[in-house]
Amino acid sequence: MKQYTDAELAELLDNDVFHVIGDTADELGMECYVVGGYVRDIFLERPSKDIDVVVVGSGIMLAEALKKKLGRNAHLSVFRNFGTAQLKISAFSKLTQPGEELELEFVGARKESYSHDSRKPVVENGTLEDDQNRRDFTINAMAICLNRQRFGTLVDPFGGLLDMEDRIIATPLDPEVTFSDDPLRMMRCIRFATQLNFQIEDGTFDGLCRMADRIRIISGERISEELNKIMMSPHPSIGFEYLQRSGLLAIILPELAALDNVETKNGRAHKNNFYHTLEVLENAIRMSQNTLYSPLYFRWAALLHDIGKAKTKRWDPQLGWTFHNHNYVGAKMVPELFRRLKLPLDAKMKYVQKLVDLHMRPIVIADEEVTDSAVRRLVSDAGDDIDDLMTLCEADITSKNQVRKARFLENFRMVREKIADLKVRDYRRLLQPVVDGNEIMEMFNLKPCREVGVLKQALKDAVLDNVVPNEREPLLRLLHEKAKVLGIEAV
């Protein structure tokens, strides 16, 4: 993490937009600060385009004054019920880089209080200290002054800089107060820890565990938004382990939490399918540079691929622990899970459902003789998603027995080769009509000539355009029709 003095921060903020904001605030007699994620990302050396400005006074008034100065190069949206304003500065403004827009959020410093069953706060005007107290985490509570006399001065009352150095997520106040006031912060806590690869501070994590049940008042849309951000982080397994350990997962995704269970009978235990799933998820991300459909929903398919195992687990005295048809049961569970989390119920959901349903098929084919018919049926059922399915299956091999793992992966390589070979052969078969040029010449007593080429192309186009099936009788009828147009008679 980069360290900066106030003077260095002033240089980093030596940008026309920050000077204009600060000068306008001075003209209005207001204190103003850039706060939150933009400040955090300066120290983490991450790009950040969205700028949050807190004003000791009226944020709306400052935004309106800036709009007057910028004229047509800025678009102002005011949300008086929330005491906030948004200013979008166009790429044509002198305050922006060529081709880039800026989005500024203005809010008056405030203090908030919440009732037990609502995320809607009672808001009162407050000081900068009040505003920083209500922030979610210490690393998001830092502020840098934009007023001319104190331009670049860092205000860090909760030691956010030290927490970034130690790579921890902590709340500025008692975590139970922070999480009770806005339970979505529990999801954000885990999301930040996952994205930044930080640890959650022990006291903060304990508070998160105690307050987990409060997540029930949060809508599915807000939860899935945070889940998707966790999912798209470099190592989402970090977040899902935190969700499980805190008790949040049992509330928001109980089907996944139920996999964290190991039973032993007659000295035989099955693997922990929750931690197996996290390993598969990490493997899938590493193996899939370019999924055909969507990186996000490919990751969802990896996360849910064994979701049916808790429901299908059985003990068989001869076979041991079994999970028969867990892929089919899991696929049936996907729509309800997506519906509850307010995830899309369109082609994205069907893609996840398909991969969950089919993820055992290549394993069965690989275990048996790899026949053309079995592979052709698999390709037909998987369609354009066959490569994603094979990648998921390869990611699913998590055995610690390297010999067994190598054998499975070699079998999958053979299945992939058979798929590629069948695609080529089927493609050629479909491209080449069953009536060829030699038969055309014999049928019409022709030597190689332009007309033969015209007739061959007519048949080929008809097959490719699905005008007729690639079968002898329909092609012969079409051939005679085309020949008649060309004035050619059969012998």
Side-chain angles (χ1 to χ4, degrees):
M1 188 195 80
K2 188 83 171 177
Q3 290 283 8
Y4 298 101
T5 65
D6 286 354
E8 288 171 331
L9 286 173
E11 284 186 27
L12 283 171
L13 295 178
D14 190 16
N15 180 304
D16 287 344
V17 69
F18 293 116
H19 286 297
V20 169
I21 294 170
D23 290 346
T24 306
D26 284 338
E27 292 165 12
L28 296 171
M30 297 177 175
E31 292 178 46
C32 76
Y33 302 81
V34 58
V35 296
Y38 191 89
V39 178
R40 177 198 69 225
D41 289 341
I42 287 175
F43 292 96
L44 293 176
E45 298 183 274
R46 299 198 316 171
S48 186
K49 291 183 180 178
D50 296 339
I51 301 170
D52 292 332
V53 177
V54 66
V55 180
V56 182
S58 171
I60 293 174
M61 186 183 297
L62 178 56
E64 289 173 337
L66 281 165
K67 165 62 180 170
K68 285 181 182 178
K69 285 187 176 182
L70 299 174
R72 69 176 67 183
N73 288 322
H75 175 75
L76 177 66
S77 300
V78 175
F79 309 96
R80 296 195 184 277
N81 287 345
F82 299 97
T84 64
Q86 181 187 75
L87 196 66
K88 290 185 178 179
I89 305 176
S90 78
F92 301 102
S93 169
K94 293 179 180 179
L95 301 182
T96 54
Q97 297 296 320
E100 287 191 356
E101 292 186 345
L102 274 180
E103 189 170 298
L104 309 173
E105 298 279 349
F106 294 86
V107 63
R110 59 194 187 185
K111 53 185 177 181
E112 298 176 344
S113 57
Y114 293 77
S115 64
H116 182 73
D117 58 351
S118 173
R119 287 186 62 238
K120 294 181 180 179
V122 176
V123 179
E124 302 175 67
N125 292 335
T127 63
L128 174 65
E129 182 183 0
D130 290 328
D131 198 84
Q132 289 175 301
N133 285 342
R134 73 178 183 84
R135 299 278 163 176
D136 50 8
F137 309 112
T138 60
I139 63 172
N140 293 334
M142 297 181 293
I144 299 175
C145 187
L146 298 180
N147 298 96
R148 185 176 291 274
Q149 286 192 343
R150 297 176 56 225
F151 190 84
T153 300
L154 176 68
V155 183
D156 180 19
F158 303 109
L161 272 182
L162 291 175
D163 285 349
M164 277 198 285
E165 282 184 15
D166 294 337
R167 303 181 67 82
I168 63 171
I169 305 292
T171 56
L173 302 178
D174 182 330
E176 289 196 20
V177 173
T178 298
F179 295 143
S180 180
D181 283 351
D182 184 353
L184 188 65
R185 288 171 173 167
M186 293 187 285
M187 297 294 298
R188 285 169 55 82
C189 177
I190 291 173
R191 189 248 293 179
F192 279 123
T194 308
Q195 289 177 328
L196 300 175
N197 196 17
F198 280 21
Q199 297 290 316
I200 300 176
E201 183 264 335
D202 289 345
T204 299
F205 185 74
D206 289 344
L208 195 155
C209 295
R210 289 193 295 271
M211 301 306 296
D213 200 60
R214 284 279 284 161
I215 201 68
R216 296 183 191 277
I217 70 169
I218 303 298
S219 69
E221 292 93 339
R222 302 301 299 278
I223 290 172
S224 64
E225 184 179 343
E226 293 298 326
L227 282 175
N228 285 340
K229 289 177 181 177
I230 291 171
M231 193 76 85
M232 290 307 295
S233 64
H235 296 287
S237 61
I238 295 170
F240 284 100
E241 186 171 356
Y242 269 130
L243 287 169
Q244 176 68 348
R245 286 174 50 211
S246 66
L248 284 166
L249 196 66
I251 299 170
I252 61 178
L253 259 176
E255 302 92 340
L256 185 61
L259 298 180
D260 189 7
N261 178 279
V262 176
E263 286 189 61
T264 302
K265 197 160 187 175
N266 295 350
R268 298 174 71 177
H270 59 81
K271 64 188 171 188
N272 185 306
N273 286 304
F274 175 73
Y275 287 98
H276 162 74
T277 292
L278 298 189
E279 191 174 351
V280 172
L281 177 58
E282 293 291 333
N283 286 345
I285 292 167
R286 178 172 48 81
M287 293 176 177
S288 63
Q289 298 304 314
N290 294 298
T291 58
L292 181 65
Y293 191 80
S294 159
L296 172 60
Y297 290 97
F298 179 69
R299 293 180 184 203
W300 270 107
L303 186 74
L304 302 181
H305 80 285
D306 275 349
I307 204 75
K309 278 193 169 179
K311 285 188 173 183
T312 58
K313 183 171 69 174
R314 301 288 184 273
W315 169 257
D316 183 303
Q318 278 73 47
L319 301 175
W321 293 104
T322 66
F323 304 91
H324 293 313
N325 292 324
H326 74 271
N327 55 309
Y328 172 76
V329 171
K332 298 283 280 184
M333 293 165 67
V334 169
E336 174 53 34
L337 190 153
F338 267 51
R339 190 174 294 111
R340 189 177 70 242
L341 289 175
K342 301 298 188 290
L343 289 165
L345 299 175
D346 55 12
K348 299 180 182 71
M349 183 273 289
K350 291 188 179 297
Y351 165 85
V352 172
Q353 190 175 29
K354 180 199 289 187
L355 263 59
V356 172
D357 187 21
L358 296 179
H359 83 272
M360 294 299 294
R361 287 271 292 280
I363 294 175
V364 173
I365 293 173
D367 268 348
E368 300 170 356
E369 183 182 353
V370 185
T371 64
D372 284 3
S373 59
V375 173
R376 188 173 281 120
R377 280 195 295 272
L378 176 65
V379 172
S380 174
D381 290 342
D384 291 338
D385 303 315
I386 184 65
D387 287 334
D388 289 2
L389 175 64
M390 290 304 301
T391 301
L392 175 59
C393 291
E394 287 158 353
D396 198 13
I397 306 304
T398 62
S399 173
K400 300 302 181 283
N401 182 325
Q402 293 305 312
V403 174
R404 187 167 183 265
K405 185 174 183 177
R407 177 171 59 81
F408 269 113
L409 292 176
E410 174 62 17
N411 285 351
F412 283 143
R413 186 191 63 77
M414 291 169 56
V415 174
R416 278 192 183 272
E417 282 187 357
K418 179 70 76 172
I419 289 169
D421 179 57
L422 275 177
K423 280 182 177 179
V424 170
R425 281 193 281 139
D426 287 353
Y427 183 63
R428 286 174 178 164
R429 178 175 58 81
L430 290 172
L431 269 180
Q432 301 300 326
V434 294
V435 179
D436 64 13
N438 290 328
E439 190 170 358
I440 291 172
M441 288 188 287
E442 184 179 341
M443 192 178 300
F444 295 101
N445 195 25
L446 295 172
K447 293 181 178 180
C449 60
R450 185 186 70 84
E451 285 76 10
V452 174
V454 170
L455 291 172
K456 279 179 62 178
Q457 190 63 45
L459 296 185
K460 187 173 182 178
D461 289 344
V463 170
L464 288 175
D465 294 337
N466 205 27
V467 175
V468 295
N470 192 10
E471 298 170 4
R472 185 172 180 78
E473 291 303 319
L475 282 174
L476 285 175
R477 286 196 296 272
L478 180 64
L479 177 63
H480 284 285
E481 291 173 12
K482 297 294 183 183
K484 190 173 182 180
V485 172
L486 294 174
I488 301 172
E489 295 290 338
V491 176

